[in-house]
Amino acid sequence: MAKKKKEKSTFRIYAEYLPFCLLYGVIHILPLKTGYALSTFLFRLLYLIDRRHRVRTVQHLMHAGMFTDKAEASRFARKTYLEFAKLLVEVVKMKQLYSKAKIFVTGSQETIDYVTPAPGKESGEQVIIITAHYGNWEVAGTAFSEQANRPMTSFMRSFGNPLIGRMILAHRAGKLHELVDKTEGIRPILRAAGAGRNITMLIDQHAASGEGVDCEFFGHPARIHMTPALLHLKTGIPIMPELTRRRPGSNFEFDLVLGDLIRYEPTGNKQHDVQAVSQLCATALEKLIREEPVQWLWAPRHWLDINRREADKYKNWQPPRTTR
């Protein structure tokens, strides 16, 4: 059974919320580029002060084989912090600057045609979207829903700070985009799928033992959420890997980067099939992240064999066989 996360005290909740609220108010009244500059300055300071996450980011970049030289990994880690600084500003400025015209769908023509309305059709085809904490994932729900012209339901994890979460979620949800807390179980997702809605899930962060399966991710074991696999096997709805990539030097412009559709024919062995589909999901997201890795959030403990108490157990880990 997954270990219950310790709740924050009221004092700590407000100690985090009040500075965030002040920063939110300041960024809200600033032009986008000025907001970027302010947030970049603050995150440069954070990179120097927050040793734990700075060290962990460098370790993870090297662990994933992105760098062999620590100095190069450190320079790249600093760049990833500055990408996250942009995300903070974009969340605050969402309602001021978001426009459907600033969203661009990229990928193979087959995948673009599948999820966007074809001539004479009102909406794109239904998909289960798997995505990651990459670029601007907060804009993804609204952006994808509008491009596909199909309503979406997102399966999400509660914020550690409910007051900050409430502010952020006010920008994430919209007319075409509803949110479901994962603590409500899979039934709301099944109902949404049955109603023809797209379903989306962030699956790149560590899943609890009862929620995920061990898969290979950047060459190392990671516990990947198995809900997309379970839903795909039950409904037959294809899985669409997607990242929302910030355009360089842009004015709140983003690419919805689509991977190839994942379709899997069940073998009748549920455990094997869940493992196989989950591995396909992990591999597909890794492929998209590798195209421009600076926009991925590298600090979280994605892997089982580093920065975890049980890391030694996975020293000689081998990926499960998923061939039929």
Side-chain angles (χ1 to χ4, degrees):
M1 184 176 290
K3 186 178 179 180
K4 188 175 180 180
K5 196 172 182 179
K6 186 178 179 180
E7 293 185 1
K8 293 182 178 180
S9 67
T10 301
F11 174 81
R12 185 176 175 186
I13 288 173
Y14 278 94
E16 294 172 347
Y17 171 70
L18 293 176
F20 180 85
C21 198
L22 175 62
L23 181 60
Y24 184 103
V26 171
I27 292 175
H28 190 267
I29 63 176
L30 293 175
L32 179 64
K33 289 186 177 180
T34 308
Y36 277 158
L38 172 61
S39 188
T40 294
F41 171 74
L42 294 175
F43 272 75
R44 284 185 188 277
L45 289 179
L46 180 64
Y47 183 78
L48 295 173
I49 296 169
D50 185 9
R51 183 181 182 278
R52 183 179 65 167
H53 290 99
R54 180 180 72 245
V55 169
R56 190 187 291 169
T57 300
V58 172
Q59 289 174 338
H60 289 174
L61 284 164
M62 298 182 72
H63 189 67
M66 304 303 296
F67 298 94
T68 56
D69 181 78
K70 188 175 180 180
E72 289 183 7
S74 296
R75 287 192 289 271
F76 193 86
R78 188 180 295 109
K79 292 179 181 179
T80 69
Y81 265 63
L82 301 187
E83 289 295 322
F84 193 60
K86 294 175 184 177
L87 173 65
L88 170 63
V89 179
E90 291 160 2
V91 168
V92 176
K93 308 293 282 185
M94 181 95 76
K95 291 184 179 178
Q96 294 173 317
L97 298 176
Y98 173 80
S99 167
K100 183 180 177 181
K102 294 183 178 182
I103 306 297
F104 305 87
V105 184
T106 67
S108 70
Q109 196 58 52
E110 179 187 3
T111 55
I112 293 173
D113 290 343
Y114 193 86
V115 300
T116 57
K121 293 193 68 176
E122 291 187 359
S123 62
E125 300 297 331
Q126 186 181 19
V127 287
I128 300 164
I129 303 156
I130 54 167
T131 188
H133 293 82
Y134 181 101
N136 189 327
W137 63 88
E138 294 295 340
V139 80
T142 297
F144 197 105
S145 298
E146 289 191 354
Q147 294 294 324
N149 198 32
R150 180 183 287 271
M152 175 188 291
T153 296
S154 290
F155 203 47
M156 53 159 283
R157 178 185 295 178
S158 300
F159 282 77
N161 188 308
L163 298 182
I164 293 176
R166 197 175 303 150
M167 294 181 72
I168 293 175
L169 294 180
H171 299 279
R172 187 185 291 182
K175 292 181 180 179
L176 289 173
H177 185 212
E178 69 174 12
L179 307 172
V180 172
D181 194 297
K182 74 169 190 174
T183 57
E184 295 183 40
I186 198 171
R187 288 184 180 178
I189 293 294
L190 290 173
R191 287 196 295 268
R197 302 177 70 94
N198 283 337
I199 308 299
T200 186
M201 304 175 206
L202 287 153
I203 68 163
D204 59 321
Q205 291 196 356
H206 179 73
S209 57
E211 299 174 344
V213 292
D214 295 354
C215 297
E216 184 176 10
F217 191 48
F218 285 87
H220 295 275
R223 190 166 298 140
I224 301 297
H225 289 270
M226 61 183 172
T227 305
L230 291 170
L231 188 59
H232 173 66
L233 293 169
K234 186 173 183 64
T235 66
I237 301 170
I239 296 174
M240 169 63 72
E242 184 273 338
L243 297 179
T244 307
R245 185 176 295 157
R246 181 178 299 106
R247 287 195 159 195
S250 67
N251 181 24
F252 210 88
E253 294 180 335
F254 304 94
D255 288 326
L256 298 182
V257 184
L258 308 180
D260 294 331
L261 283 170
I262 295 172
R263 293 187 176 96
Y264 181 88
E265 187 67 32
T267 65
N269 182 333
K270 184 178 179 179
Q271 182 178 355
H272 174 278
D273 292 345
V274 169
Q275 180 73 53
V277 176
S278 297
Q279 183 61 65
L280 289 172
C281 291
T283 302
L285 279 185
E286 177 185 333
K287 180 181 178 181
L288 293 182
I289 291 167
R290 283 184 179 274
E291 292 175 3
E292 195 170 329
V294 72
Q295 294 194 33
W296 191 41
L297 195 60
W298 285 90
R301 296 180 299 159
H302 303 288
W303 294 282
L304 293 161
D305 60 343
I306 184 173
N307 288 322
R308 291 193 175 276
R309 291 177 183 174
E310 68 270 28
D312 287 345
K313 298 179 183 178
Y314 289 87
K315 186 174 294 185
N316 299 314
W317 182 85
Q318 294 293 324
R321 293 184 62 185
T322 55
T323 54
R324 294 170 187 252

